[in-house]
Amino acid sequence: MAIALERLAILTLVLCSASLSGERSLVAQSPTYGVGRPPTAEELKAIDIEVTPDGKGLRPGSSTAAAGKEVYTRRCETCHGPTGTEGPQDVLAGGRGSLATSRPLKTVGSYWPYATTLWDYINRAMPFDHPGTMTTDEIYGVTAYVLYLNGIVKEQDVVSQTTLPRITMPNRDGFVVDPRPDIPILRKKKP
Amino acid sequence: MESKSRRWFLGRGALGAMWSAALVACRAKPDAAPAEPRALGAAVSPYGSRSKFEKTTRFFNQNTKVPLEEASSRTPLHDTYGIITPSSLHFERHHSGVPEIDPATHTLTIHGLVDRPLAFAVADLKRMPSISRIHFLECSGNSSSEWRGGGAETDVQRSHGLTSCSEWTGVSVALLLNECGVQPAATWALAEGADACKLSRSIPIKKLMDDAFIAYAQNGEPLRPEQGYPMRLFLPGWEGNSNVKWLRRLKLMDQPAMSREETSKYTDLMPDGTARQFTFDMEPKSLITRPSGGDTLPGPGLYELTGIAWSGRGAIASVEITMDGGNTWQPAELQSPVLPKAHTRFRWTWKWDGKEALFASRCTDETGYTQPPLPQLVEIRGLNSNYHNNGIQAWKITADGKITNGNRA
């Protein structure tokens, strides 16, 4: 019953938006070749998942590192270790201050410029062998916990769709635009 | 003219010891004469396979803690010919395995800052004007082992096998974008795959409007699953990872998404602790593939020396060979076709005198950029930038005919 009602609501929404923007009717194919079709609202919702640094794309929800610890232990620890430093897979914590040394350690805490990327990546790709099987709040929880392991948030800080984009990562300004070619070009092309 | 500064890949003046050991010429015994062909051969077959005598394969390290779904396999460059890599030997790099995708249900959705969001089926793309282009595809992690000199036993497949070259067929991205009506605010597009990690990269709109295309075929048949079946983004000359496989959408945006693959990975850490981002184009690079590390020459004499050169910025203009550790260079012959952003085959006839030598190739592309000695790159980028190593690859032959990795010499 609840499901049927939800379907009806979505259908109404789709119909409304279709009639509001007249262009999105079923004939809206590519103008020159007459191929393709407008994606349905449901299709778009399923794939439109990226989160940008301004926080756009974050689903509503929240959690804390304290709450996320349990989820991390259950879903992440076997591959990333109890404190995110033990492996066997990618090291998630530590390495602060190591980037300019001869043995840099690139982690979420030492290298990643945006906290939103962490949520986006966990949402799309983790756990590695079962992506897409956590609730939204569980994702906020493990995100908070990985940030906590890196000393970026405190145990009880609420990490949510409003607070996550406001977190300034330690290496926020560590990236530069590709300057290559970075060696002199000896034989310039003849005009 | 043994100016020390030019003897770059030697480190120290090791070549001085010219010793002419007596060579044991390996005289091969004559093989048994082949039998007269009388027995009938095999019947016709629905899908061809190679001779059972040919064994070359992709190489991958099976002895690792990293799951093999998040691994790479390498093209046997020493055992491929011409410029086209057979699809079955094209290198692989996946981040969450090869998905099995039904082309009847897969769509490419173009949305975001466009007037008409559209979903295209594979059949839709095949109805549109097609283009076919021969281009290399190189993982930006190719030859990353060589930053620190590589292993003495390294062969060309292990060191450089993350580059391959195919004829790709598909539809121009610019044409598709024009059908959707790109809005003026759009500066980037997020390309996203339908693999388990939904691999995503942000691509500047300028490249998409230039020579990008959606490839649905490779070397005359539909893409192999490992190469993105049923469709992938193809960005000629740009690092492999940005050529998103199993492409399911392109979202036009006014900023890059800053995905994990364009922040945590595929960024180049410099000695001062900053990292270069969006390092897309693969710079001019060449290497001698035959003979190369792991080969043993039977004795002095004439050998064809061959290899490949490529540039993500255009066509190869010339390739040069050194046989004396970089003191002197001689032009190699380029074999046609010489195509922009494609592997280019070069050859050179070598008369090996049986003495120890350090040999290498270097290329120059049509922009005038000459492939640098590795130490020149290290001086600027340090040892920890990992990606985009296009330094010269040296091989070392000793008097016994054994060839090893000359970057360690």
Side-chain angles (χ1 to χ4, degrees):
Chain A
M1 180 63 179
I3 291 175
L5 269 180
E6 199 180 294
R7 285 242 173 93
L8 190 69
I10 289 173
L11 189 68
T12 325
L13 257 175
V14 172
L15 288 178
C16 284
S17 62
S19 54
L20 278 178
S21 61
E23 268 200 33
R24 289 187 193 186
S25 68
L26 287 173
V27 291
Q29 294 182 317
S30 81
T32 318
Y33 300 97
V35 296
R37 58 167 178 80
T40 66
E42 242 178 351
E43 280 175 324
L44 269 187
K45 195 174 164 230
I47 58 175
D48 196 6
I49 57 169
E50 88 289 341
V51 176
T52 40
D54 53 16
K56 272 194 205 127
L58 281 171
R59 293 198 295 271
S62 70
S63 189
T64 60
K69 182 176 194 272
E70 180 272 324
V71 187
Y72 180 91
T73 308
R74 221 166 11 91
R75 307 300 310 268
C76 321
E77 196 181 293
T78 47
C79 293
H80 294 293
T83 66
T85 56
E86 300 86 350
Q89 303 308 330
D90 294 28
V91 172
L92 304 181
R96 290 272 282 279
S98 73
L99 296 182
T101 69
S102 62
R103 293 269 162 225
L105 179 62
K106 295 189 259 181
T107 73
V108 172
S110 70
Y111 198 58
W112 290 37
Y114 302 102
T116 46
T117 306
L118 182 59
W119 196 98
D120 173 281
Y121 183 67
I122 296 172
N123 177 49
R124 70 173 65 234
M126 288 294 136
F128 181 74
D129 48 352
H130 295 100
T133 57
M134 291 193 295
T135 65
T136 299
D137 284 349
E138 283 178 331
I139 297 171
Y140 279 107
V142 289
T143 300
Y145 190 65
V146 172
L147 293 172
Y148 166 74
L149 290 174
N150 281 289
I152 293 166
V153 300
K154 295 196 195 72
E155 240 175 325
Q156 301 298 339
D157 286 353
V158 173
V159 172
S160 70
Q161 79 272 23
T162 42
T163 60
L164 185 68
R166 290 198 209 126
I167 294 171
T168 305
M169 297 294 273
N171 196 38
R172 168 66 186 81
D173 297 322
F175 291 82
V176 297
V177 174
D178 176 19
R180 296 172 311 152
D182 52 2
I183 59 164
I185 290 184
L186 303 174
R187 293 167 239 183
K188 275 265 183 273
K189 195 177 172 179
K190 286 176 210 106
Chain B
M1 285 292 154
E2 292 230 341
S3 98
K4 232 185 189 135
S5 61
R6 296 197 62 193
R7 303 182 60 181
W8 35 265
F9 55 59
L10 276 177
R12 272 158 288 117
L15 201 69
M18 292 282 195
W19 48 289
S20 55
L23 264 153
V24 189
C26 303
R27 287 272 153 73
K29 289 188 225 99
D31 293 327
E36 264 300 289
R38 291 198 188 97
L40 283 179
V44 294
S45 62
Y47 196 85
S49 55
R50 65 180 168 178
S51 159
K52 70 172 189 186
F53 299 107
E54 294 303 324
K55 306 278 192 224
T56 199
T57 52
R58 293 192 280 230
F59 168 82
F60 54 97
N61 186 1
Q62 306 198 37
N63 185 21
T64 94
K65 60 186 174 91
V66 178
L68 288 180
E69 294 85 1
E70 198 268 286
S72 54
S73 70
R74 292 158 188 262
T75 296
L77 294 175
H78 58 294
D79 213 5
T80 51
Y81 305 84
I83 61 169
I84 300 292
T85 310
S87 303
S88 49
L89 294 175
H90 193 289
F91 84 85
E92 300 169 272
R93 173 69 171 112
H94 316 307
H95 282 270
S96 55
V98 180
E100 191 178 273
I101 297 178
D102 180 352
T105 53
H106 181 87
T107 52
L108 164 62
T109 301
I110 299 180
H111 67 126
L113 298 172
V114 292
D115 296 334
R116 290 171 296 278
L118 287 170
F120 297 94
V122 181
D124 290 330
L125 296 189
K126 288 185 176 168
R127 273 178 61 183
M128 304 178 83
S130 67
I131 51 170
S132 289
R133 303 268 188 271
I134 293 175
H135 287 307
F136 79 83
L137 187 71
E138 184 184 18
C139 177
S140 51
N142 199 21
S143 60
S144 60
S145 59
E146 299 307 306
W147 283 114
R148 290 171 192 273
E153 299 311 315
T154 292
D155 59 44
V156 72
Q157 179 171 21
R158 285 170 201 237
S159 66
H160 285 74
L162 295 176
T163 185
S164 306
C165 185
S166 297
E167 184 193 50
W168 306 92
T169 300
V171 180
S172 148
V173 172
L175 187 142
L176 288 167
L177 291 183
N178 288 337
E179 290 296 282
C180 298
V182 176
Q183 295 171 1
T187 46
W188 292 79
L190 183 76
E192 186 177 278
D195 49 346
C197 64
K198 278 76 73 182
L199 190 132
S200 59
R201 286 295 302 260
S202 306
I203 312 296
I205 192 110
K206 192 162 170 263
K207 178 67 174 180
L208 295 176
M209 286 303 200
D210 179 15
D211 59 355
F213 57 102
I214 309 295
Y216 49 72
Q218 175 189 10
N219 297 332
E221 61 180 353
L223 292 181
R224 292 283 164 118
E226 313 96 277
Q227 293 310 320
Y229 183 84
M231 55 174 82
R232 80 176 307 163
L233 181 60
F234 203 94
L235 305 174
W238 280 24
E239 65 178 359
N241 182 264
S242 63
N243 294 251
V244 176
K245 295 181 282 193
W246 314 292
L247 188 70
R248 71 172 187 180
R249 66 177 179 127
L250 284 175
K251 182 177 184 181
L252 283 291
M253 321 219 301
D254 59 6
Q255 57 180 318
M258 299 294 178
S259 73
R260 181 256 190 174
E261 309 300 335
E262 60 208 22
T263 52
S264 170
K265 303 289 164 189
Y266 303 99
T267 47
D268 307 37
L269 184 62
M270 294 294 117
D272 68 356
T274 65
R276 296 174 178 176
Q277 197 180 21
F278 302 120
T279 35
F280 289 121
D281 43 357
M282 299 306 296
E283 297 193 295
K285 189 162 170 178
S286 74
L287 81 157
I288 294 166
T289 56
R290 269 196 316 276
S292 59
D295 288 337
T296 303
L297 299 189
L302 281 187
Y303 292 91
E304 161 155 292
L305 193 149
T306 181
I308 46 174
W310 63 98
S311 165
R313 300 199 183 114
I316 291 296
S318 64
V319 175
E320 297 158 287
I321 308 286
T322 181
M323 282 292 158
D324 54 11
N327 288 320
T328 58
W329 294 90
Q330 295 156 68
E333 185 188 326
L334 300 187
Q335 214 166 275
S336 66
V338 178
L339 301 168
K341 305 178 185 180
H343 280 176
T344 298
R345 177 66 58 179
F346 64 84
R347 52 178 304 280
W348 195 74
T349 303
W350 178 26
K351 191 162 186 249
W352 185 45
D353 56 9
K355 289 179 187 149
E356 181 171 312
L358 204 51
F359 61 104
S361 65
R362 74 175 179 200
C363 65
T364 300
D365 75 357
E366 61 178 324
T367 72
Y369 178 109
T370 298
Q371 183 185 9
L374 193 55
Q376 192 180 347
L377 287 183
V378 172
E379 206 178 300
I380 300 162
R381 304 183 193 170
L383 288 169
N384 294 312
S385 64
N386 190 28
Y387 304 102
H388 303 102
N389 179 358
N390 67 318
I392 289 170
Q393 171 68 42
W395 302 114
K396 180 182 176 180
I397 185 165
T398 41
D400 57 3
K402 279 209 175 75
I403 300 175
T404 54
N405 188 355
N407 288 353
R408 283 194 82 79

